[in-house]
Amino acid sequence: MGETRARGRGGRWRGLGGIATAAALVVAATGVLAGAVTVAGDDGPGRTEAVEGPRSGPAPSGHAVSARPARPGGGAAAGAGRLYRDEGAQVVAWVRAHRDDPRSPLIASRIAARPAAVWFTDPRPWAVTAQVRAVTDRAGDRVPVLVAYAIPNRDCGGPSRGGAPRLAAYARWIERFAAGLGSGEVVVILEPDAVALADCLSPGERSRRFAALARAGAVLKRANPAARVYYDGGHSGWHRAERQAAALRRAGAASPASSDGVFTNVSNFHRTAAEVAYARRVLTALGGPRGLGAVIDTSRNGNGAPADGRWCDPAGRRVGRPPTLRTGAARIDAYLWVKLPGESDGCRGRPGTFSPGYAYDLARG
């Protein structure tokens, strides 16, 4: 449920702006997992701003987006103000219920106030349409960030194991997920770890998974042409850019019919500068239209990755650069909070559950 491990999982957007923060239900293998997140300045002193309105590879990973009208770096319409912040996030609910807790003001200002992604992990096709539509309807003119996380053999048996039972069931799930997207701007983070962690599969299983991902991207973009779909680019501490790009190409990430680019650092901790350089190398090796971009998860990378490579709720981390569609960086569409700060990777609670102690540690850095 969005707790990508350290191994490796971790834009530009067409009028994009919102990151959907929370969904309601926290279930390790089923249900929508989401949360709102606030970040203190990445690679620098923390800052707070009011907002209107998995694992990854060999070392921790993490799971950012920008819109098409605006060129790389964003434009007048881009920025955090257009990102959707869901009042139903676990962290928001905790702050509301614990106003007298001495940790609450810091968690509220540096995490709960920020827009973050909404995770969809319930593998039941008949349930997901309403779950997605509930978020896109509430988003209004803001841009939600949705994480599709139900691929079979999700997390390769790790803490976030689960997903649809078979690829045929997953195909139905993606169709029903797409049916809830509506017609407004939306960012879809497609299956964290599904590409970077595919080495756990046999060659035949890997080929079938990549074909399923290519189809999934095409289904999402046909359902809503305003949707921006990003594929799993791992992170800078995992696979070489050329190797990751070769796998991404097989998964459909180079085709404008199914992809708007890649995401990196989801649920990981690598510094933004390293991820920007890595994402550009992946995009260059990937080929495809020049318009393909990258989004970077900055939710927990304020202090960089632990020297020992620990990925599961490591100590000494800090929230990173606040979510924005105005990156000022070529081919980087957005910095997003995809992993929800304070929600466990599986060591300070069940995967995806909110830990106020962990959130406080991240908020104060």
Side-chain angles (χ1 to χ4, degrees):
M1 285 201 155
E3 306 63 48
T4 40
R5 269 194 292 215
R7 286 178 197 167
R9 9 181 178 192
R12 189 176 33 251
W13 192 261
R14 182 175 310 185
L16 215 256
I19 297 178
T21 22
L25 195 29
V26 180
V27 183
T30 67
V32 180
L33 182 81
V37 189
T38 292
V39 187
D42 160 46
D43 302 336
R47 62 175 177 170
T48 58
E49 300 172 355
V51 177
E52 301 175 14
R55 112 164 76 284
S56 276
S61 99
H63 297 119
V65 186
S66 182
R68 278 288 168 91
R71 300 308 301 164
R82 292 201 62 228
L83 294 175
Y84 169 69
R85 173 183 174 275
D86 195 324
E87 290 292 332
Q90 293 184 79
V91 63
V92 174
W94 183 87
V95 167
R96 190 180 297 124
H98 297 84
R99 298 187 187 281
D100 295 333
D101 190 301
R103 300 168 296 183
S104 186
L106 195 63
I107 293 173
S109 64
R110 294 191 176 175
I111 296 180
R114 303 220 182 266
V118 179
W119 290 69
F120 296 87
T121 65
D122 186 337
R124 300 170 298 169
W126 56 265
V128 72
T129 303
Q131 293 169 351
V132 173
R133 184 174 294 133
V135 175
T136 55
D137 284 352
R138 287 197 303 268
D141 62 355
R142 300 194 181 276
V143 183
V145 175
L146 313 179
V147 182
Y149 193 51
I151 197 82
N153 201 16
R154 183 181 68 199
D155 205 27
C156 288
S160 298
R161 66 177 62 85
R166 293 173 301 281
L167 286 174
Y170 180 70
R172 292 191 295 274
W173 187 86
I174 278 290
E175 289 170 355
R176 302 314 303 157
F177 182 103
L181 291 177
S183 59
E185 295 167 345
V186 59
V187 179
V188 179
I189 302 298
L190 182 61
E191 299 296 341
D193 285 349
V195 176
L197 199 59
D199 287 352
C200 73
L201 305 174
S202 70
E205 290 170 331
R206 198 175 309 134
S207 293
R208 289 188 288 275
R209 170 179 285 190
F210 290 164
L213 289 170
R215 178 184 181 277
V219 166
L220 294 168
K221 292 188 72 64
R222 279 199 305 269
N224 179 0
R228 307 257 314 161
V229 179
Y230 293 87
Y231 280 72
D232 173 30
H235 61 65
S236 61
W238 205 345
H239 302 307
R240 289 184 306 104
E242 294 75 15
R243 176 183 174 184
Q244 188 69 18
L248 283 162
R249 200 175 303 112
R250 294 176 60 194
S255 169
S258 56
S259 170
D260 291 279
V262 303
F263 60 82
T264 79
N265 209 40
V266 169
S267 299
N268 222 283
F269 306 88
H270 295 278
R271 291 190 183 274
T272 303
E275 291 304 303
V276 167
Y278 169 74
R280 287 174 178 159
R281 290 197 300 272
V282 170
L283 289 169
T284 297
L286 180 62
R290 178 66 185 174
L292 296 182
V295 299
I296 296 170
D297 187 347
T298 61
S299 62
R300 304 189 299 179
N301 72 349
N303 285 340
D308 62 1
R310 180 180 170 85
W311 60 266
C312 187
D313 301 332
R317 302 309 97 200
R318 185 181 65 179
V319 293
R321 183 180 307 227
T324 182
L325 300 174
R326 191 178 289 124
T327 69
R331 302 203 79 179
I332 306 302
D333 291 350
Y335 301 131
L336 301 181
W337 283 17
V338 181
K339 172 66 180 182
L340 311 176
E343 295 192 6
S344 177
D345 295 318
C347 292
R348 296 185 66 157
R350 288 186 300 107
T353 56
F354 179 74
S355 166
Y358 188 30
Y360 184 67
D361 290 347
L362 289 168
R364 64 180 179 170

